[in-house]
Amino acid sequence: MTEGSKTELKNAQVKLKIKLAAARLFQEQGFPATSMRELAQKVGLEASSLYNYIKSKDELLIEICTQHSQTFMRGLDEVLDSSASIEQKLTAIIEQHVILAFNDPSIVTVFNDEWKHLPLEVKSEFIKQRKHYENRILKLLESGMEEGTFQKLDPKICLYSFLSALKWVHYGYKPDKLDPKTVVKQISEFLLKGLMIRP
Amino acid sequence: MTEGSKTELKNAQVKLKIKLAAARLFQEQGFPATSMRELAQKVGLEASSLYNYIKSKDELLIEICTQHSQTFMRGLDEVLDSSASIEQKLTAIIEQHVILAFNDPSIVTVFNDEWKHLPLEVKSEFIKQRKHYENRILKLLESGMEEGTFQKLDPKICLYSFLSALKWVHYGYKPDKLDPKTVVKQISEFLLKGLMIRP
DNA sequence: CCTACCGATCGGTAGG
DNA sequence: CCTACCGATCGGTAGG
């Protein structure tokens, strides 16, 4: 390993540290309300020194959002390409969301709430990706309705309600120390079988 | 009617106009990213003139959030005090959320997403109110489980999933021109009976 | 309701 | 990696 690549490695580590601190601040205060001075303080640098590791404040948001977007996409590929039943696939999608929300709550929050502050160009690409992601799950719901596994309801309303229902795990109020596995099981039961008791 | 009260009436109208424009901007860009210059332009004034009608930028956010909080609370009182069955009460809560989201999407979005920018004092009161609101619905879920209407699941997970599932109606992507009544019916079916078909 | 303006803070750069 | 600093913009006020 040359001296040069060692430096690059170190730089990448510092950049990662900056990115994680940024995710936490963006989560707590939102992207526009977070200043580079504040971020610098969190990682023990002066504001101007940050620019040795990153290009701009925007870059941080872009990398957080797009990396997470790719993680989601890859996870969805894996689930949909499997030979599992439709019901199993849907449970796997729930599991994927919950585990990501447990592991990286800050990043998931930024991904969910702060994408609207992306620069215009990147934002429209982000929306396109998300639309694509949603459409693939929509197809899954529709085929489940066709094959008689799922109730015949408005697929889009189901889709949005389904995805929204998963969007609380990453927030502060984790119910009393529940482990991810239990949460997955309970949410799956709630979404697949409904609140009302079965006759 | 005196001249003075006429002026007050006019002032109140302008203030309302400012508040609605603010809600729309806060929704689109978030509270910190919205400038008073921008808001002034939307209502056809100079930035400094806004301060004849409002005290501060914070005041706008405070009034939007607390007014909506009170609307929610009053609606919940009405539902819970009625003699309806638990199932009917839950449907009525869904209906309340959906109708508010259809009528005032901007205000609902600000209420949901921008409350974290409230001044510290007001914010903790806001969180307290919301907690109270959540607890009353939690009790409803728990009593439904006890009396055998609802599945016995973790009540808090149900509560959060239930409330989250209602949080997409106010966003841009209204599925193709659906009317509120249909949305209420579909969401209720989805949440109460679940995705899987009944045996 | 506007013009003129304030101090503070922003993201980011130059230069070393 | 820091000191020193830039132009731009912020929320808000004075005074009329």
Side-chain angles (χ1 to χ4, degrees), chain B residues 46 48-49 52-53:
Chain B
E46 290 300 318
S48 58
S49 304
N52 289 300
Y53 305 98

Side-chain angles (χ1 to χ4, degrees), chain B residues 168-179:
Chain B
W168 58 268
V169 187
H170 57 94
Y171 281 127
Y173 38 90
K174 297 228 166 97
D176 351 72
K177 316 257 184 233
L178 288 171
D179 63 308

Side-chain angles (χ1 to χ4, degrees), chain B residues 11-187:
Chain B
N11 279 3
Q13 284 171 349
V14 177
K15 181 166 180 177
L16 184 63
K17 191 180 163 189
I18 293 171
K19 201 145 63 176
L20 293 176
R24 217 163 305 139
L25 287 171
F26 295 167
Q27 171 190 25
E28 289 163 10
Q29 311 174 330
F31 175 75
T34 301
S35 78
M36 297 305 276
R37 269 95 174 157
E38 211 174 355
L39 173 58
Q41 204 198 352
K42 289 277 179 193
V43 294
L45 292 173
E46 290 300 318
S48 58
S49 304
L50 293 174
Y51 293 90
N52 289 300
Y53 305 98
I54 61 164
K55 283 212 288 277
S56 67
K57 189 187 179 188
D58 279 348
E59 191 199 43
L60 287 168
L61 182 62
I62 293 170
E63 295 198 357
I64 292 169
C65 288
T66 60
Q67 272 176 27
H68 197 68
S69 187
Q70 281 164 20
T71 305
F72 261 141
M73 281 297 186
R74 269 198 302 273
L76 190 61
D77 283 338
E78 215 176 288
V79 170
L80 293 184
D81 292 348
S82 74
S83 57
S85 71
I86 290 188
E87 184 187 349
Q88 287 168 332
K89 283 181 180 174
L90 210 67
T91 308
I93 291 170
I94 295 172
E95 190 180 8
Q96 193 202 150
H97 273 78
V98 171
I99 287 175
L100 284 173
F102 263 84
N103 290 345
D104 301 298
S106 301
I107 289 173
V108 173
T109 306
V110 173
F111 176 84
N112 280 331
D113 298 346
E114 303 299 319
W115 59 267
K116 67 178 158 190
H117 300 294
L118 286 167
L120 251 66
E121 224 180 310
V122 187
K123 178 157 70 171
S124 55
E125 176 61 26
F126 179 87
I127 293 173
K128 224 175 74 184
Q129 289 280 335
R130 194 183 53 186
K131 200 85 218 158
H132 184 235
Y133 183 81
E134 289 172 358
N135 270 330
R136 295 178 71 190
I137 301 182
L138 185 65
K139 289 258 163 58
L140 188 69
L141 292 176
E142 285 170 343
S143 59
M145 291 178 192
E146 265 168 44
E147 76 169 32
T149 309
F150 296 156
Q151 281 200 81
K152 282 209 169 62
L153 294 170
D154 183 295
K156 282 193 178 173
I157 293 182
C158 283
L159 172 71
Y160 292 134
S161 302
F162 173 82
L163 289 175
S164 291
L166 302 174
K167 278 186 183 163
W168 58 268
V169 187
H170 57 94
Y171 281 127
Y173 38 90
K174 297 228 166 97
D176 351 72
K177 316 257 184 233
L178 288 171
D179 63 308
K181 262 200 176 146
T182 309
V183 175
V184 170
K185 216 165 162 180
Q186 294 279 326
I187 295 185

Side-chain angles (χ1 to χ4, degrees), chain A residues 86-115:
Chain A
I86 291 188
E87 183 187 350
Q88 287 168 332
K89 283 180 181 174
L90 211 66
T91 309
I93 291 171
I94 295 173
E95 189 178 9
Q96 193 203 145
H97 273 78
V98 171
I99 287 175
L100 284 173
F102 264 84
N103 290 345
D104 301 299
S106 301
I107 288 172
V108 173
T109 306
V110 173
F111 176 84
N112 280 330
D113 299 346
E114 304 300 318
W115 60 267

